[in-house]
Amino acid sequence: MATRTEIFRELMREYDMIRTEKAGELRQRKEALYTSIPRLAEIERSLALLGTKMARRMLMRGANPEEIVAELRLEQNALEMERQELLASKQFSPKLLELEYECAACQDTGFIGTERCLCLKKRLMDKMYDQSNVRKIIEMEHFDHFDFRYYSKEAWQNETKTPFENAQKIYARAIRFTEEFPKGEHLLLTGGTGLGKTFLCNCMAKELLEKGNMVLYLTSSQLFKKLEEQRFNKNNDDEEAKEWDQELLEADLLIIDDLGTEFSTVFTATELFRIVNDRILANKSMVISTNLSMEELMNSYSDRVTSRLFGEFILLHFYGEDIRLQKKFGK
Ligand SMILES: [Zn+2]
């Protein structure tokens, strides 16, 4: 997994390539146009020389700068006008002589002033997704595809709502979460396997990514494996570990899917507390999904962790019959 600096460097190279490519395309378009209308080439040369011409005249004795500027502007307008007419006479668009941009907002630099352009944020996210292998899933899943047919409309155990009503309520809450984002809210999705938790995580990730947010999506095993590598691998430089920490804290949304499936150690428990606590303090949203019950969570993690989870997270608990099994047996 590359660090943010590496990804960043790679992206800057990509922008470079885009600009070179666009400049090359412009050159080709010009060549073709100038072959077809040779006068256009002359006009371009004259326009390019106007600046030097002006500078030379300014240096002459008794030069009147205002007059010179006005005269040259006239000349420039006349040349531009002629060019426009020539293009129009052959039904060519004036755009053919302009540099094209993939992103007009930042002119393919990735920055607007010192701010990152939305296109850069998207590219950054794209790269991160390539690395966490969830792109394919995210492409397929969408709030509109949430299928309520698999949730029973009959009473379920001691619950007051049917699985169907409950799923609808959770679904609406997840949509509100993305609509009101970023509000610093945290969601804890619980319930057995095959009830739609991961699906909902994917939908939220997709929705917020499309709005240009930085979403970091990791299964709990991916997260802890990575953290362990960072801590215990002596070959890793500190810089990379620092960047990773920063990533975990700074992403607009951190999704930890399937908490409890990681190989749990004192280390994972400490790290989990640190991440959750830091993000709560920084008012940065998290979505955590888990198959573990409240009791299992309390047994697996320290009180410090569970008190954060139960105190700061909005609990969305799924129940009902396993959808994957229903699909498999054609129910
Ligand atoms: Zn841009």
Side-chain angles (χ1 to χ4, degrees):
M1 201 170 191
T3 67
R4 184 178 283 223
T5 312
E6 283 162 0
I7 292 177
F8 214 80
R9 236 179 267 138
E10 195 183 322
L11 283 176
M12 289 301 115
R13 271 198 300 277
E14 280 179 26
Y15 278 113
D16 244 0
M17 271 158 56
I18 295 172
R19 290 196 303 270
T20 313
E21 195 185 303
K22 295 288 175 195
E25 284 170 13
L26 176 62
R27 220 164 26 242
Q28 281 181 355
R29 286 199 302 273
K30 278 185 175 173
E31 267 168 35
L33 276 173
Y34 294 175
T35 314
S36 147
I37 315 175
R39 172 67 187 145
L40 284 175
E42 287 169 30
I43 293 176
E44 188 181 7
R45 271 194 298 278
S46 307
L47 280 169
L49 286 173
L50 279 180
T52 349
K53 204 166 157 184
M54 181 159 84
R56 208 176 302 135
R57 288 186 51 190
M58 290 285 193
L59 291 172
M60 279 165 37
R61 195 193 300 253
N64 177 341
E66 274 166 40
E67 224 169 74
I68 296 169
V69 172
E71 234 173 80
L72 284 165
R73 193 153 293 152
L74 267 180
E75 208 174 318
Q76 185 186 359
N77 287 346
L79 286 166
E80 279 170 356
M81 186 70 83
E82 188 189 351
R83 179 163 66 184
Q84 241 177 48
E85 280 164 4
L86 281 169
L87 287 169
S89 73
K90 298 226 171 180
Q91 270 140 26
F92 288 131
S93 157
K95 286 240 181 300
L96 290 172
L97 286 176
E98 287 166 20
L99 196 56
E100 254 184 7
Y101 297 108
E102 227 161 71
C103 174
C106 68
Q107 306 198 328
D108 298 333
T109 60
F111 286 89
I112 302 174
T114 52
E115 289 283 301
R116 280 181 195 176
C117 182
L118 203 60
C119 73
L120 175 57
K121 289 185 185 170
K122 284 222 172 93
R123 279 170 193 269
L124 213 52
M125 253 2 275
D126 266 6
K127 294 270 179 213
M128 286 164 48
Y129 268 76
D130 281 342
Q131 303 200 332
S132 47
N133 304 323
V134 288
R135 177 187 299 287
K136 275 275 164 297
I137 311 167
I138 297 274
E139 272 165 10
M140 279 154 36
E141 296 180 352
H142 188 272
F143 276 125
D144 293 347
H145 305 152
F146 199 88
D147 198 342
F148 289 103
R149 280 177 310 173
Y150 292 104
Y151 299 91
S152 160
K153 290 184 179 171
E154 280 159 37
W156 180 266
Q157 295 170 2
N158 298 325
E159 305 288 349
T160 48
K161 287 191 174 68
T162 65
F164 176 79
E165 289 163 345
N166 181 54
Q168 278 194 320
K169 191 193 81 187
I170 293 175
Y171 174 82
R173 190 64 189 82
I175 288 192
R176 211 172 93 209
F177 175 81
T178 59
E179 282 172 353
E180 295 176 350
F181 193 87
K183 217 179 145 192
E185 284 179 331
H186 314 291
L187 304 182
L188 180 62
L189 304 177
T190 64
T193 47
L195 285 172
K197 297 189 301 294
T198 297
F199 187 93
L200 213 53
C201 284
N202 291 335
C203 296
M204 287 187 275
K206 184 187 167 77
E207 195 73 18
L208 291 173
L209 264 172
E210 279 174 358
K211 286 186 188 161
N213 293 291
M214 304 271 289
V215 180
L216 192 55
Y217 189 125
L218 296 159
T219 63
S220 114
S221 351
Q222 280 176 327
L223 170 67
F224 291 111
K225 198 171 143 238
K226 182 69 192 168
L227 286 168
E228 255 165 29
E229 273 170 24
Q230 297 291 353
R231 291 291 177 281
F232 303 121
N233 188 345
K234 290 190 181 106
N235 295 327
N236 272 329
D237 50 302
D238 284 342
E239 203 52 40
E240 196 186 316
K242 246 185 259 159
E243 271 179 25
W244 229 80
D245 267 355
Q246 206 180 339
E247 205 107 298
L248 282 172
L249 182 63
E250 287 182 359
D252 297 319
L253 174 63
L254 171 65
I255 300 179
I256 305 175
D257 196 14
D258 246 349
L259 183 73
T261 52
E262 76 280 357
F263 179 68
S264 159
T265 60
V266 176
F267 171 76
T268 54
T270 317
E271 283 298 281
L272 183 64
F273 175 75
R274 187 177 63 84
I275 295 163
V276 167
N277 198 48
D278 283 358
R279 286 191 65 96
I280 287 172
L281 291 176
N283 210 23
K284 291 271 190 181
S285 285
M286 281 169 281
V287 171
I288 296 180
S289 89
T290 181
N291 291 339
L292 300 182
S293 66
M294 297 282 180
E295 207 182 357
E296 287 166 327
L297 278 172
M298 285 193 274
N299 291 335
S300 304
Y301 304 99
S302 65
D303 290 348
R304 298 197 301 170
V305 171
T306 45
S307 78
R308 290 295 184 284
L309 291 181
F310 302 148
E312 307 280 347
F313 282 65
I314 296 161
L315 182 69
L316 301 175
H317 178 63
F318 278 102
Y319 47 84
E321 269 181 78
D322 189 328
I323 292 171
R324 272 172 277 180
L325 289 180
Q326 291 186 60
K327 281 185 180 164
K328 196 168 163 191
F329 298 111
K331 222 173 131 181

